Amino acid sequence: MPQNINKIAVLTSGGDSPGMNAAIRSVVRSCAYMKLQCVAIYRGYQGMIDGDFKEMNARSVNNIINKGGTILKSARCLEFRTPEGRKKGFEQLKKHNVDALVVIGGNGSFAGALKLNEEFNFPVMGIPGTIDNDILGTSYTIGFDTAINTVVEVIDKIRDTASSHNRLFFIEVMGRDVGHIALNAGVGAGAEEILIPEQNLGLDRLLDSLKRSKKSGKSSSIVIVAEGDKTGKNVFELKEYVEEHLPIYDVRVSVLGHMQRGGNPTCFDRVLASRMGVRAVEAILEGKTNYMVGIRDSKLILTPISEAIKAHTEVDEELIRVSDIMTT
Ligand code: ATP
């Protein structure tokens, strides 16, 4: 164990995701197991700047593995984007004798951690917690599995009512820059079409597909639309467009919104978070810094944060093909 690591801090930052609590629990318990002190920082980087710290022990994280959201709260903090803000944060870390920081969050949170390291040579380790699954260096982020299961459950319910009335539903799901939620939940729930930010299939294809669907005798149709889809129309405009061009359809819209972030994490997310938390603390003790823990082929891997934040993950072409085949 490097001499200089006695106390580790953990925070959650950016958008919350189900499974963050399981990750917090894992970091806290790993510290206890490895005879390290652990301190929690509330409200992300804002709490770091404000000195909102609380000493943790193994019992501080009882009964949270099953809870959605984050007990440490999350925040978006403009001040941490400035060198002055980060200096304040660093001074608080020193004041509380923290030797390394674990950041559970998304790309922005990692960018902040990297700056903290570059400016003050402070050891940082990232754990990917976001429902979007948009971080390079990991096949899964904590919260994604729960989010797609939540979406599938809701679509199943909407399909019940859609088929009772022969309706077409446009369902908007989260995903401004990436369509992983739309694509996975869409295939899982048997959607007729899936509109994602990574590709513009065009409105003609949508109309053709819906015409075919009607002709083939389907009693209902579900179209999943990611927030950032490239048709240039939001779900309400898509409804109007289809009603105008295909009056045979009775069209409804459902925007799922923040419910996609909530709920008890799935077993997959709890296990993933538990594994990543242990690895994050271990990696710090191995003297590693500026890495993000990820998972690939069921194995935990470390990716430099500088790589992880470079770009969004790419769309899964194979899944797009599967979706196309399933809707024939
Ligand atoms: P999500 O993917 O859920 O949006 P995120 O971690 O990407 O999560 P952001 O809002 O982008 O969420 O970032 C969280 C916080 O990280 C910001 O409020 C800010 O305090 C800090 N942060 C983001 N980008 C930077 C940056 N370039 N430099 C310093 N701090 C940053």
Side-chain angles (χ1 to χ4, degrees):
M1 181 191 303
Q3 285 295 312
N4 52 343
I5 303 292
N6 293 310
K7 191 175 197 178
I8 291 178
V10 58
L11 62 77
T12 50
S13 169
D16 63 300
S17 68
M20 277 185 163
N21 282 326
I24 295 163
R25 172 180 179 269
S26 176
V27 170
V28 171
R29 295 239 166 117
S30 300
C31 286
Y33 182 84
M34 295 171 208
K35 308 271 181 276
L36 299 168
Q37 293 175 64
C38 186
V39 64
I41 303 176
Y42 284 78
R43 296 180 294 114
Y45 292 123
Q46 189 60 55
M48 185 192 286
I49 290 172
D50 298 342
D52 200 356
F53 289 48
K54 186 183 163 204
E55 303 292 326
M56 304 293 271
N57 62 44
R59 299 283 71 78
S60 317
V61 287
N62 285 351
N63 300 324
I64 65 165
I65 192 168
N66 55 324
K67 293 200 165 75
T70 159
I71 59 158
L72 300 185
K73 316 283 182 194
S74 192
R76 308 218 190 243
C77 173
L78 277 181
E79 200 179 354
F80 200 76
R81 290 175 183 269
T82 67
E84 299 75 31
R86 292 192 288 275
K87 185 156 186 292
K88 282 190 204 167
F90 171 69
E91 281 163 0
Q92 289 288 355
L93 290 170
K94 286 286 99 186
K95 187 176 152 194
H96 289 85
N97 300 314
V98 177
D99 301 310
L101 172 69
V102 176
V103 172
I104 305 167
N107 278 317
S109 305
F110 294 160
L114 193 57
K115 288 208 169 127
L116 190 72
N117 175 270
E118 285 165 357
E119 290 164 8
F120 306 101
N121 196 25
F122 196 84
V124 295
M125 190 63 55
I127 295 180
T130 165
I131 62 167
D132 294 328
N133 209 32
D134 60 345
I135 300 182
L136 287 180
T138 190
S139 304
Y140 297 102
T141 57
I142 297 166
F144 173 65
D145 185 66
T146 305
I148 55 176
N149 278 290
T150 301
V151 173
V152 162
E153 203 183 314
V154 175
I155 298 173
D156 286 348
K157 291 187 167 114
I158 291 174
R159 189 182 286 284
D160 287 346
T161 168
S163 52
S164 303
H165 295 273
N166 289 338
R167 276 178 182 149
L168 161 64
F169 263 87
F170 282 101
I171 303 177
E172 186 191 275
V173 301
M174 283 185 171
R176 283 209 185 87
D177 304 306
V178 291
H180 298 302
I181 292 179
L183 197 51
N184 282 270
V187 169
E192 272 62 47
E193 278 293 327
I194 305 169
L195 307 180
I196 55 176
E198 292 91 340
Q199 59 172 202
N200 184 3
L201 299 173
L203 292 167
D204 289 346
R205 174 189 151 124
L206 176 65
L207 293 182
D208 285 347
S209 164
L210 291 174
K211 272 184 215 157
R212 248 189 299 126
S213 172
K214 199 68 165 176
K215 236 189 197 162
S216 72
K218 282 192 182 173
S219 62
S220 66
S221 292
I222 303 282
V223 177
I224 308 291
V225 187
E227 282 168 312
D229 95 282
K230 287 285 183 293
T231 56
K233 293 187 188 296
N234 65 34
V235 267
F236 298 100
E237 291 163 346
L238 282 171
K239 167 183 154 68
E240 279 172 21
Y241 182 84
V242 169
E243 280 176 337
E244 191 183 316
H245 291 83
L246 292 175
I248 34 162
Y249 270 109
D250 178 14
V251 191
R252 294 289 189 275
V253 169
S254 184
V255 177
L256 300 194
H258 280 82
M259 67 143 74
Q260 295 163 85
R261 280 193 194 286
N264 299 344
T266 56
C267 184
F268 180 89
D269 274 330
R270 298 180 199 194
V271 173
L272 181 68
S274 302
R275 292 178 69 189
M276 286 180 165
V278 172
R279 187 69 193 107
V281 174
E282 273 177 359
I284 289 171
L285 292 183
E286 287 163 14
K288 297 198 167 69
T289 180
N290 288 356
Y291 284 94
M292 181 200 77
V293 182
I295 189 161
R296 186 154 291 146
D297 301 329
S298 301
K299 296 214 162 43
L300 295 177
I301 54 168
L302 294 177
T303 301
I305 288 180
S306 54
E307 291 296 314
I309 62 175
K310 253 185 194 157
H312 290 299
T313 42
E314 280 178 13
V315 66
D316 186 342
E317 297 289 348
E318 192 243 352
L319 204 49
I320 292 179
R321 189 165 163 268
V322 169
S323 168
D324 286 346
I325 293 172
M326 289 304 108
T327 53
T328 48

